[in-house]
Amino acid sequence: MSAFTPASEVILRHSDEFTARHVLFAGDMQDDLPAQLETASSRVHTQQYHHWQNLSRLLGERARYGLVATQEDVEGCDTLVYYWPKNKPEALFQLMNLLSLLPLGCDIFVVGENRSGVRSAEGMVEEWATLEKIDSARRCGFYHGRLESQPTFDAESFRDSYDLDPLTICTLPGVFSRDDLDIGSALLLTTLKPHTKGKVLDIGCGAGVLSAVLANHSPKVRLTLCDVHAAAIESSKATLAINGFEGDVFPSNVFSDVTGRFDLILSNPPFHEGRETSLDAAQTLIRGAVKHLNTGGELRIVANAFLPYPQVLDETFGSHEVLAQNGRFKVYRAVYGRGARAR
């Protein structure tokens, strides 16, 4: 990563503030500023596997990935720099976790884009710290306060679920389609037929909805699920367990940690990084799928109808078909065989 996000550029306006501090960076970090900013020492905790991959190359063991930060992750830190995510429940989960571990008197800096709701930070943490806005630039707000009391954090209290008859779907803050089944996934599920067999890879698994529904009507499938978000990994594991299904669930940035080949790759791929439109993950998924499909295996994805995936599918697989569509989404199918181009 090279270019800094607007949030990081705001932090850089105050770079002198951090030179003598022992800083813990957390939240929605989308660049390598935590490794570049001059500090007495820097640590990182992130729930996003792809962010950890980038930062761990520069910070080594000082960059940690996981759903929940531990006392070891914040050891020696006297300052928190928190990048506000686009999801408020996710921010509350992360901030309560971090503030329950950091020492009283710890300085707290919160930065984020105004359209992401960073203004909510003041009210969200007012029970434990008084935040004041100290800068406003690049359409971002930058807040500062000190930790006056520590919250009691219980990760279990943030767990939730919803029914998708006859299944139970387990979720956590920040997981895609946390409260109910999204329209795109629902459309994709209409194209799955019972008695599917073989190895299935669910990329960007979220709460594990696609895999759970598939396993329910096709019990002979062998499931592999991956996602970048630690909350999604935990949710998918819980969804499979509560419904009595088995599967291999692990973090991966698209195919970064995936090995082997599959008969079916399923995905409702994201097209945002934070609040910005980004097609990188989906294009990496399409182009990389041919290296992970058995001959005759298929990639099946759902996407907003306006996104330019047909061209990438044809360039990679030679052809594609639309299995279903509505006013907003299309379900694409491409088969690996002649005409597919491994890259």
Side-chain angles (χ1 to χ4, degrees), residues 91-101 128 151-153 158:
L92 180 61
F93 181 100
Q94 293 173 353
L95 283 169
M96 286 189 69
N97 174 205
L98 296 166
L99 297 182
S100 72
L101 300 171
W128 315 295
T152 299
F153 174 72
F158 286 88

Side-chain angles (χ1 to χ4, degrees), residues 13 48 63 107 116 120 137 144 157 194 213 226 235 251 257 285 288-289 300 311 315 319 331:
R13 287 160 57 97
Q48 300 288 343
D107 282 281
S116 294
S120 302
H144 171 257
S157 68
V213 171
C226 63
S235 296
D257 290 64
L285 166 64
R300 191 175 300 198
Q311 180 180 349
E315 289 175 353
S319 64
V331 178

Side-chain angles (χ1 to χ4, degrees), residues 9-190:
E9 289 179 347
V10 173
I11 293 174
L12 283 171
R13 287 160 57 97
H14 302 262
S15 57
D16 291 346
E17 179 71 44
F18 299 99
T19 55
R21 295 179 179 274
H22 299 275
V23 183
L24 173 67
F25 294 88
D28 192 20
M29 297 161 287
Q30 297 175 30
D31 57 36
D32 60 7
L33 180 72
Q36 303 298 336
L37 189 67
E38 183 181 352
T39 65
S41 68
S42 294
R43 289 177 175 266
V44 165
H45 183 270
T46 177
Q47 292 184 347
Q48 300 288 343
Y49 190 65
H50 56 318
H51 296 166
W52 172 81
Q53 285 178 313
N54 288 319
L55 290 165
S56 65
R57 295 187 187 105
L58 300 168
L59 293 171
E61 290 297 320
R62 290 178 290 147
R64 299 292 186 91
Y65 162 80
L67 176 65
V68 176
T70 66
Q71 194 65 57
E72 183 182 2
D73 297 330
V74 308
E75 194 67 37
C77 294
D78 58 24
T79 301
L80 171 66
V81 174
Y82 182 76
Y83 284 75
W84 188 262
K86 63 180 180 179
N87 183 285
K88 292 179 184 178
E90 182 178 15
L92 180 61
F93 181 100
Q94 293 173 353
L95 283 169
M96 286 189 69
N97 174 205
L98 296 166
L99 297 182
S100 72
L101 300 171
L102 288 163
L104 293 177
C106 172
D107 282 281
I108 303 167
F109 293 88
V110 178
V111 64
E113 295 189 38
N114 294 326
R115 61 178 177 170
S116 294
V118 68
R119 298 179 184 89
S120 302
E122 292 176 277
M124 183 175 289
V125 305
E126 63 182 353
E127 186 177 346
W128 315 295
T130 301
L131 294 183
E132 294 183 356
K133 181 182 282 190
I134 58 174
D135 199 0
S136 182
R138 300 301 310 274
R139 298 180 181 176
C140 293
F142 191 37
Y143 298 81
H144 171 257
R146 286 188 175 85
L147 186 61
E148 299 159 6
S149 64
Q150 293 173 312
T152 299
F153 174 72
D154 178 14
E156 294 300 315
S157 68
F158 286 88
R159 293 183 184 273
D160 205 349
S161 65
Y162 61 88
D163 292 329
L164 188 63
D165 190 46
L167 304 171
T168 298
I169 308 301
C170 301
T171 65
L172 281 163
V175 176
F176 177 68
S177 199
R178 177 192 177 200
D179 299 319
D180 52 34
L181 182 65
D182 64 283
I183 297 172
S185 294
L187 184 64
L188 176 56
L189 288 173
T190 66

Side-chain angles (χ1 to χ4, degrees), residues 217-243:
H217 64 52
S218 300
K220 292 185 178 181
V221 296
R222 288 172 286 168
L223 296 172
T224 299
L225 297 78
C226 63
D227 202 296
V228 294
H229 199 324
I233 297 301
E234 183 66 23
S235 296
S236 285
K237 288 180 178 179
T239 293
L240 293 184
I242 200 171
N243 292 291

